[in-house]
Amino acid sequence: MPETDRVKMSLPLLMEKKRKKQKITMITSYTYWQAFLVDKAGIDIVLVGDSLSMTELGNATTLPVSMDTMVAHAAAVTRGCKYGFVIGDMPYMTYQPSNEIAIKNAGRFMAESGCDAIKLEGGITMAERMRAIVEAGIPAMGHLGLTPQSMSALGGFKAQGKDALMAKRIVDDAAALEEAGAFAILLECVPSKVSKLVTERAKIPIISIGAGPDCDGQLLIFHDMFNMYPAFMPKFAKRYGDVAKVISDGLANYVEQVHSGAFPEPQHQFTISEEQYRELLEMVSNQ
Ligand code: KIV
């Protein structure tokens, strides 16, 4: 789409995409430059995920990342994003304790980072938080299935809803979040047939990350797409490029060129006139 025809993504436009069965694209970004590239590619939704705790900060889980860190990254992303709808991911224990704490932190995310909405994890048990945040005037997305903040309770990074009872729970959780006012729901690592059922029953967009092709949209983690997270590659992720190889090759070349003297070349250097240099030599020789 030519830049001049493009408008900023909004909640009504996302709902329209759901109604018209037009697929929604969503990618994570944590920095200004990532957001700038993602926005240029025409992505609909940009998630400042708390996965940055792992992909950018090197933690083993999403739990340690703070509200301060998330707000700083989200602000960088909104500076890089002109058209994409930016969602800030509420970090661990910034909404679970009470409605009041949830509204305060969600409001801070919106006011200090300029993001368009927030996301929180959890189903029926978090429906009350969802309602409180939405009633405070803050658009909120739900997140079901594999919810990384509950990784310990879920027993690790593994698919959810693989038996009828657990799948039914996901269907009920999605209905509860929609009823509480969520504008969309992310389904992570859920069997495709279960996601299809949830998507067909929902009036709001259902986005998949490892939840199959029948959802209203797809999310991938930027770092998984471009081989930028060395710790592991989830089963649902697809590689669209190898940034790690480009950077590693460049770094090896740099080390080799510094050792051999091939870098820096004349065009990387600054000069002083012969006259000024002679004057300098005279000055230092008299010291
Ligand atoms: O933090 C994140 O990037 C997420 C995705 C894994 C869904 O929540």
Side-chain angles (χ1 to χ4, degrees), residues 60-220:
T61 70
T62 58
L63 306 198
V65 72
S66 69
M67 193 67 201
D68 284 350
T69 302
M70 289 301 298
V71 167
H73 280 270
V77 167
T78 60
R79 287 192 287 271
C81 235
K82 205 162 144 196
Y83 300 104
F85 189 83
V86 180
I87 301 180
D89 206 5
M90 298 280 284
Y92 185 57
M93 287 301 147
T94 62
Y95 57 97
Q96 289 93 339
S98 71
N99 287 353
E100 201 185 338
I101 289 173
I103 294 171
K104 195 161 161 278
N105 282 314
R108 182 179 168 206
F109 230 143
M110 301 289 285
E112 291 183 24
S113 75
C115 62
D116 300 301
I118 59 93
K119 171 171 88 59
L120 54 95
E121 298 182 8
I124 289 170
T125 53
M126 282 298 134
E128 188 195 327
R129 297 287 177 275
M130 176 63 75
R131 191 183 306 282
I133 290 170
V134 173
E135 283 179 357
I138 300 166
M141 181 184 218
H143 182 168
L144 297 172
L146 171 52
T147 45
Q149 290 177 12
S150 312
M151 205 184 61
S152 181
L154 296 175
F157 284 109
K158 55 185 187 200
Q160 301 297 309
K162 283 175 74 74
D163 63 61
L165 202 63
M166 295 306 281
K168 169 76 166 48
R169 189 176 290 177
I170 292 174
V171 172
D172 292 345
D173 280 340
L177 290 179
E178 179 169 358
E179 200 276 322
F183 72 84
I185 297 169
L186 187 62
L187 289 185
E188 180 167 355
C189 295
V190 170
S192 304
K193 283 184 176 168
V194 178
S195 311
K196 186 169 188 284
L197 193 64
V198 172
T199 306
E200 284 166 356
R201 292 164 71 98
K203 291 197 173 56
I204 56 174
I206 305 296
I207 310 292
S208 154
I209 178 160
D214 298 308
C215 293
D216 300 302
Q218 295 293 327
L219 165 66
L220 278 180

